[in-house]
Amino acid sequence: MAEECNVLAVGVLEGNERSLARLISIIENKPENMSTVLPIIQSVLGRAYCIGFTGPPGAGKSSLINQVAQALNNKGHKIGIIAVDPTSPFSGGAFLGDRIRMQNQLDSDIFFRSMATRGSYGGLARATKDVIKLMDAFGNDFILVETVGVGQTELDVMQSTDTTVVVLVPEGGDSVQAMKAGLMEIADIFVINKSDRPGAEDVAIQLKAILQMNPNKQKKMPPILLTQSLDGLGVEELVGNLEEFKMRLEGAELENRRRRRGKNDFEETLRNIFIQEWRKLVQENSFINKKYHEAVEGNLDPYSAIRDIFPDGIISDKF
Amino acid sequence: MAEECNVLAVGVLEGNERSLARLISIIENKPENMSTVLPIIQSVLGRAYCIGFTGPPGAGKSSLINQVAQALNNKGHKIGIIAVDPTSPFSGGAFLGDRIRMQNQLDSDIFFRSMATRGSYGGLARATKDVIKLMDAFGNDFILVETVGVGQTELDVMQSTDTTVVVLVPEGGDSVQAMKAGLMEIADIFVINKSDRPGAEDVAIQLKAILQMNPNKQKKMPPILLTQSLDGLGVEELVGNLEEFKMRLEGAELENRRRRRGKNDFEETLRNIFIQEWRKLVQENSFINKKYHEAVEGNLDPYSAIRDIFPDGIISDKF
């Protein structure tokens, strides 16, 4: 497997689309293979600019992203799209239907990939981060990430993007939902899509009022744009705003965002390696195994069990 | 602080309501104090039966839980309620309004506690698990946990309950949402609340059809109940179902569920202690600090950095 990953990673660097598709599938199923892939691609990472689109289901994000991708592509940029769908496993196929349709509409020089849960929830955000890196190494100028829904997975995914667009629709309650889900804090740009429906202006005014109450003074007030993605109205303005935001961000602020991301990435990788080692150890060491099971059965609290197993700390006595 | 936690934990074991309220506040803000509290309360944990209520916002969960709590309380049970609200920090106060109203309606021998995010998302599910333990130690017979919304936090919280009730309303699309969010897999009982509205029977039939497609053969088909929580219709039947479920679960299956929870609890605690040690180490050791910053800046991939720092594994050479 490591040998195949090596070859595929080189293929990705050369811009081979099949290598990218195959490597994504491998990483989705066995993320630990990133330990082989990353050393090969690390030095080129960071060229792609990553834009996340999130918001409640039914806001028309797919068609909006389709439009944005076309517009950026027309300007000569190479585009990757990732659609993240935390659909439950047993209903997976059906919900991906509209995404498959979207795929056919897109030009063939826009690389599209849809990702669904493979049983484990926490794994989806992690896999998405890895796929963003692979698409970056592939040479994309822009990577557009769409999430379905407004939960924790979505927030985690948005931590890996350079810009976050929150897409709402005019129907009341949407902005309240977005606020509850914590989307207000992460939005760089708001889009009210399907703005031909009644109430679009009202929602924009409400949203502005809510944002002005926001005590986060360091952040510039995010623009609120109206779009109708089905006939492309407002998409040009959105692309203009995205480009402006990108330009404004480049330099110190972009470095800061990416450094923060680098820290999260590192700790996540460290935690994953640690827990793998731990699970192996618990199989092999009978004293540890005994203490562990006392804790699992509730006969000993976890803190006491960990103190018994590692009296001098888990890593401290190595240094 | 450790001294105060000691005293409060003993107070909680004696059923002192003020000690419980104070200790919950401490743990919400500084969860690491559980390392002092848990050894004191561990031996009595597991007496309380914990029921989670989840589902989309606006399904009337609060008033339903209110009714269920009253009904169980009338049968002589001691009840604790935890309302988990992953509201964004800057809008926190307003959304808790209806919960505060609910609190006033409740009998004083039902202990009610509302929990909101304190800045960090992942922390809310963890804090809720801790509060469940404190309420268990307090001597509650039943702990009812309400979550607002259908995201990852909610799924994490539901992993800590013995029974999960998914509450929907007749309006179409709700069950699709529940399915997307992964609620289908975790539901032990479905409730269609506000069942006086049109479409309640249709949703029940749809839901049943979806559940019959579920390949999870080991699990019994969850009952689907109709309620109108505002005037208490169907609440008696729900309580009857909860009691029946509890009886059926007691024995091997309940042990299994709690053992699974014990495993998750243990690993989470282990990971938290590990990462604290790591952060201290990175401050103190200049070689580690250098490698860490190379990775954070993107000049070295995390896997290579971790291999450089821990050439013999993170914990393996201690054993």
Side-chain angles (χ1 to χ4, degrees):
Chain A
M1 187 63 99
E3 186 54 42
E4 188 186 359
C5 286
N6 259 314
V7 173
L8 290 173
V10 173
V12 168
L13 286 176
E14 289 165 351
N16 183 313
E17 205 163 298
R18 273 203 205 166
S19 301
L20 178 59
R22 171 85 186 116
L23 193 52
I24 289 175
S25 299
I26 291 176
I27 295 300
E28 270 193 302
N29 289 310
K30 294 197 187 299
E32 61 273 20
N33 283 302
M34 280 303 273
S35 69
T36 308
V37 174
L38 261 188
I40 300 170
I41 64 172
Q42 182 71 34
S43 64
V44 306
L45 295 186
R47 294 180 306 186
Y49 193 82
C50 186
I51 305 171
F53 292 76
T54 187
K61 290 185 294 290
S62 298
S63 67
L64 188 66
I65 288 173
N66 196 350
Q67 300 267 357
V68 170
Q70 295 285 5
L72 288 169
N73 190 226
N74 291 344
K75 295 185 177 192
H77 297 302
K78 194 171 170 184
I79 312 292
I81 301 179
I82 309 171
V84 182
D85 194 346
T87 309
S88 82
F90 81 83
S91 58
F95 286 105
L96 289 172
D98 56 338
R99 266 159 209 93
I100 290 159
R101 275 201 305 281
M102 174 176 152
Q103 189 163 13
N104 294 335
Q105 289 168 24
L106 291 171
D107 287 0
S108 62
D109 59 344
I110 298 178
F111 187 91
F112 177 89
R113 181 72 181 214
S114 169
M115 301 177 65
T117 16
R118 300 252 188 287
S120 112
Y121 245 78
L124 187 55
R126 184 185 170 191
T128 305
K129 289 174 201 174
D130 290 339
V131 174
I132 289 172
K133 286 181 181 165
L134 298 179
M135 286 215 183
D136 186 357
F138 180 65
N140 283 310
D141 300 302
F142 288 88
I143 300 169
L144 310 182
V145 183
E146 175 197 355
T147 67
V148 180
V150 288
Q152 181 61 42
T153 304
E154 285 76 7
L155 287 176
D156 286 347
V157 167
M158 288 304 138
Q159 283 194 342
S160 307
T161 61
D162 297 312
T163 303
T164 299
V165 180
V166 172
V167 185
L168 304 171
V169 283
E171 280 71 35
D174 231 34
S175 51
V176 173
Q177 279 289 90
M179 199 161 32
K180 281 205 175 199
L183 293 184
M184 288 308 207
E185 286 78 4
I186 62 166
D188 297 307
I189 294 173
F190 281 98
V191 168
I192 300 168
N193 196 23
K194 303 187 181 178
S195 64
D196 50 327
R197 292 198 196 165
E201 292 286 348
D202 291 347
V203 169
I205 291 167
Q206 272 176 31
L207 199 56
K208 209 171 165 185
I210 294 169
L211 289 170
Q212 278 164 346
M213 300 179 340
N214 189 340
N216 186 355
K217 296 286 180 208
Q218 290 133 299
K219 213 172 144 187
K220 196 175 166 290
M221 177 86 172
I224 302 170
L225 308 174
L226 302 183
T227 59
Q228 294 172 38
S229 59
L230 281 182
D231 41 23
L233 273 177
V235 169
E236 206 176 308
E237 198 194 348
L238 171 58
V239 171
N241 267 273
L242 286 169
E243 285 173 327
E244 197 200 307
F245 190 89
K246 177 173 184 283
M247 269 191 355
R248 217 174 50 229
L249 198 64
E250 263 154 2
E253 171 59 12
L254 186 61
E255 287 303 306
N256 279 340
R257 286 193 180 205
R258 291 186 168 180
R259 198 173 295 124
R260 214 176 308 136
R261 209 187 307 161
K263 282 185 186 176
N264 288 337
D265 249 28
F266 184 90
E267 282 199 356
E268 200 182 329
T269 308
L270 188 68
R271 253 192 296 254
N272 287 334
I273 293 176
F274 167 68
I275 217 73
Q276 279 168 26
E277 285 190 16
W278 160 258
R279 286 179 186 160
K280 196 158 167 279
L281 192 61
V282 107
Q283 297 297 325
E284 291 170 353
N285 184 305
S286 60
F287 170 72
I288 294 176
N289 197 285
K290 184 173 151 282
K291 286 287 170 187
Y292 170 66
H293 280 100
E294 279 177 46
V296 168
E297 302 289 338
N299 301 324
L300 184 66
D301 73 279
Y303 292 96
S304 303
I306 293 164
R307 272 192 292 260
D308 289 350
I309 296 170
F310 300 106
D312 308 309
I314 298 170
I315 43 177
S316 57
D317 73 345
K318 292 182 70 171
F319 292 95
Chain B
M1 187 62 99
E3 186 53 42
E4 188 187 358
C5 287
N6 259 315
V7 174
L8 290 172
V10 173
V12 168
L13 286 176
E14 288 165 351
N16 183 313
E17 204 162 299
R18 274 201 203 165
S19 301
L20 177 59
R22 172 86 186 117
L23 194 52
I24 289 175
S25 298
I26 291 176
I27 295 301
E28 269 193 302
N29 289 308
K30 293 197 187 299
E32 61 272 22
N33 283 301
M34 281 303 273
S35 69
T36 309
V37 173
L38 261 188
I40 300 170
I41 64 171
Q42 182 72 34
S43 64
V44 305
L45 295 185
R47 294 179 306 185
Y49 194 82
C50 187
I51 305 171
F53 293 76
T54 189
K61 291 186 292 292
S62 298
S63 68
L64 189 66
I65 288 174
N66 196 350
Q67 299 267 357
V68 170
Q70 295 285 3
L72 288 168
N73 189 226
N74 291 343
K75 294 184 177 192
H77 297 303
K78 194 171 171 183
I79 312 292
I81 302 179
I82 308 171
V84 183
D85 193 346
T87 309
S88 81
F90 81 80
S91 57
F95 286 105
L96 290 171
D98 57 337
R99 264 157 211 95
I100 290 158
R101 276 202 305 283
M102 175 177 151
Q103 188 164 14
N104 294 334
Q105 289 167 23
L106 292 171
D107 287 1
S108 62
D109 59 344
I110 298 178
F111 187 92
F112 177 89
R113 180 73 180 213
S114 170
M115 301 178 65
T117 16
R118 301 250 187 288
S120 112
Y121 245 76
L124 187 56
R126 182 184 171 191
T128 305
K129 288 174 201 173
D130 290 339
V131 174
I132 290 172
K133 287 181 182 167
L134 297 179
M135 286 215 183
D136 186 356
F138 179 65
N140 283 310
D141 300 303
F142 287 89
I143 300 170
L144 311 181
V145 182
E146 175 197 355
T147 66
V148 180
V150 288
Q152 182 60 41
T153 304
E154 285 76 7
L155 286 175
D156 286 347
V157 168
M158 289 304 139
Q159 283 193 342
S160 307
T161 61
D162 298 312
T163 304
T164 298
V165 180
V166 172
V167 184
L168 304 171
V169 283
E171 281 71 34
D174 231 34
S175 50
V176 172
Q177 279 289 90
M179 198 161 31
K180 280 205 174 197
L183 293 184
M184 287 308 206
E185 286 78 4
I186 63 166
D188 296 308
I189 294 173
F190 281 97
V191 168
I192 299 167
N193 196 23
K194 304 186 181 180
S195 64
D196 50 327
R197 294 197 196 165
E201 293 286 349
D202 290 348
V203 170
I205 290 166
Q206 272 175 31
L207 200 55
K208 209 171 165 184
I210 294 169
L211 289 170
Q212 278 164 348
M213 299 179 341
N214 188 341
N216 186 355
K217 296 287 180 208
Q218 291 132 300
K219 213 171 144 185
K220 196 176 165 291
M221 176 88 171
I224 302 170
L225 308 175
L226 302 183
T227 58
Q228 295 172 36
S229 59
L230 281 182
D231 42 21
L233 273 176
V235 169
E236 206 176 308
E237 198 193 349
L238 171 58
V239 170
N241 268 272
L242 286 169
E243 284 173 328
E244 196 199 309
F245 190 89
K246 176 172 184 282
M247 269 190 357
R248 215 174 52 228
L249 198 65
E250 263 154 3
E253 172 59 13
L254 186 61
E255 288 303 307
N256 279 341
R257 286 192 181 207
R258 291 186 169 181
R259 198 173 294 122
R260 213 177 308 135
R261 207 186 307 160
K263 281 184 187 177
N264 288 337
D265 249 27
F266 184 90
E267 282 199 357
E268 200 181 329
T269 308
L270 188 69
R271 253 192 296 252
N272 287 334
I273 293 175
F274 167 69
I275 217 73
Q276 279 168 27
E277 285 189 18
W278 161 259
R279 286 179 186 161
K280 196 159 167 279
L281 192 61
V282 108
Q283 296 297 326
E284 292 170 354
N285 183 305
S286 60
F287 170 73
I288 293 176
N289 197 286
K290 184 174 151 282
K291 285 288 170 188
Y292 170 68
H293 280 100
E294 278 177 48
V296 168
E297 302 290 338
N299 301 323
L300 184 66
D301 74 277
Y303 292 96
S304 302
I306 293 165
R307 272 192 292 260
D308 289 350
I309 296 170
F310 301 106
D312 308 310
I314 298 170
I315 41 178
S316 57
D317 74 345
K318 293 183 68 168
F319 293 94

